[in-house]
Structures are given as C-alpha cells and as structure tokens.
Amino acid sequence: MPEQERRPNEVLGGSVTIVGIAPGREDDVAAALARFPGGPTPPDLGALPLVILAKTSTEKAEEAAALLVAAGAEVAMLEVWVTREIAPDTRPRPACPNCGSTKTQPFTFSGSGGRANMKCTACGQLFKERHA
C-alpha cells in the first residue's frame, strides 16, 4: 500500500497507547495518567488499548511513554505525521539582518555541496547564518 503523501507543514511526531498493565499496578498507572492534561478522568483501564496522546512531538511522546512504563504500563509508541502547530519546530532561529525578525527558516537549494542560506519569512531577505 503506498504511503500517504506528506504535506509540507508536517513533521514526524508520536502517538502513545497503553496496551497492557502489570497486575497490581493499576493505581500507579492511574496516578501517572492524572499528569496528562486532557486525558480520560477517571481512566477506564479495563478498556485497553487506551490512546493517551494521539499526536504530539516525538520528545513529549517519549517522555510520556517512559513515565507510563515506570508506573507499570505496557505502551506502544507509533510514529505519526503531525502539523507544526501541534509539534512546533524548536530549533533556534537567527534574526534577519535586514528587518530584525526572528521568523526565519533554512533555505537549502544547492545540493549536498552547497552552503545553507537562511530566508526571512517576513521580508523575504536571503542571508547566511553567521556562527560566532
């Protein structure tokens, strides 16, 4: 089956699902689930699998999975494509030398041997990022 075409505003994220709970650890898992905003309260631990985070950043999904595993849950973490609004790009961006805006993005167009430029999305200025 062909892979669904990815949109340009999507990045790789994660989804966390509880697929099992160790016997006697239900209270620990319920306490761990209380730390997630928007999760089921009280959680119905009898209705497994239980999706905890449907679409989030990879980092948040890994943190959630580690917390749940430590509490006694067996989790499945899947890679999903999420929009940048759900999982924003947290890389530092240099300010534009023309207008001072921090709304800049990498602009690579010349292949593996080329140097990466930056482009300001506010004024359209192309510039080279200077490392101190």
Side-chain angles (χ1 to χ4, degrees):
M1 188 158 123
E3 186 175 325
Q4 180 181 359
E5 189 172 324
R6 188 172 74 87
R7 289 185 226 125
N9 69 335
E10 291 180 324
V11 294
L12 190 61
S15 172
V16 179
T17 304
I18 295 179
V19 294
I21 300 174
R25 303 284 310 264
E26 291 85 4
D27 292 336
D28 295 334
V29 173
L33 285 174
R35 300 175 79 183
F36 295 103
T41 41
D44 184 12
L45 299 178
L48 297 178
L50 182 63
V51 176
I52 303 305
L53 297 172
K55 291 184 176 184
T56 188
S57 68
T58 305
E59 295 84 18
K60 288 182 183 179
E62 289 172 353
E63 290 172 9
L67 177 69
L68 291 168
V69 167
E74 182 181 339
V75 299
M77 192 174 113
L78 302 173
E79 292 180 338
V80 294
W81 291 104
V82 297
T83 62
R84 293 188 192 278
E85 290 80 31
I86 295 172
D89 188 4
T90 57
R91 293 179 290 181
R93 304 292 182 170
C96 174
N98 187 41
C99 69
S101 173
T102 57
K103 295 182 178 183
T104 58
Q105 66 182 20
F107 186 70
T108 56
F109 60 89
S110 54
S112 61
R115 295 178 58 193
N117 288 334
M118 297 295 289
K119 181 176 183 178
C120 178
T121 59
C123 70
Q125 177 74 31
L126 285 176
F127 62 96
K128 300 247 186 255
E129 183 178 5
R130 301 201 179 208
H131 297 286

